[in-house]
């Protein structure tokens, strides 16, 4: 979770986040009302947006 906090704070780039690890964390924290879920949701959105921007540059 510290890595996700660093991502959200802009201390590490989205490319440093392992997508498989995000999937495991999402399976581990399925409660939408938990703080971990909300942190994970925000981090996933940042990572996905980064990949979408990268893909658009190649189109």
């Amino acid at each position: 979770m510290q890595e996700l906090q660093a991502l959200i704070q802009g201390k590490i780039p989205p490319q440093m986040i392992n997508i498989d690890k995000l999937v495991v964390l999402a399976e581990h924290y399925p409660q939408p009302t938990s703080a971990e879920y909300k942190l994970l949701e925000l981090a996933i959105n940042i990572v996905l947006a980064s990949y979408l921007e990268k893909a658009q540059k190649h189109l």
Side-chain angles (χ1 to χ4, degrees):
M1 288 295 172
Q2 291 177 345
E3 185 178 35
L4 300 183
Q5 289 175 336
L7 168 69
I8 292 167
Q9 294 169 353
K11 294 179 181 177
I12 62 172
Q15 296 79 14
M16 290 191 65
I17 303 296
N18 182 324
I19 293 178
D20 292 327
K21 185 176 179 181
L22 291 176
V23 171
V24 170
L25 286 170
E27 292 170 348
H28 190 69
Y29 297 104
Q31 294 294 344
T33 56
S34 72
E36 293 87 0
Y37 180 96
K38 294 177 189 300
L39 178 67
L40 184 57
E41 182 178 35
L42 183 54
I44 288 171
N45 286 336
I46 291 170
V47 170
L48 290 176
S50 167
Y51 279 100
L52 285 173
E53 286 176 18
K54 187 175 180 180
Q56 284 181 329
K57 289 178 183 178
H58 292 286
L59 294 177

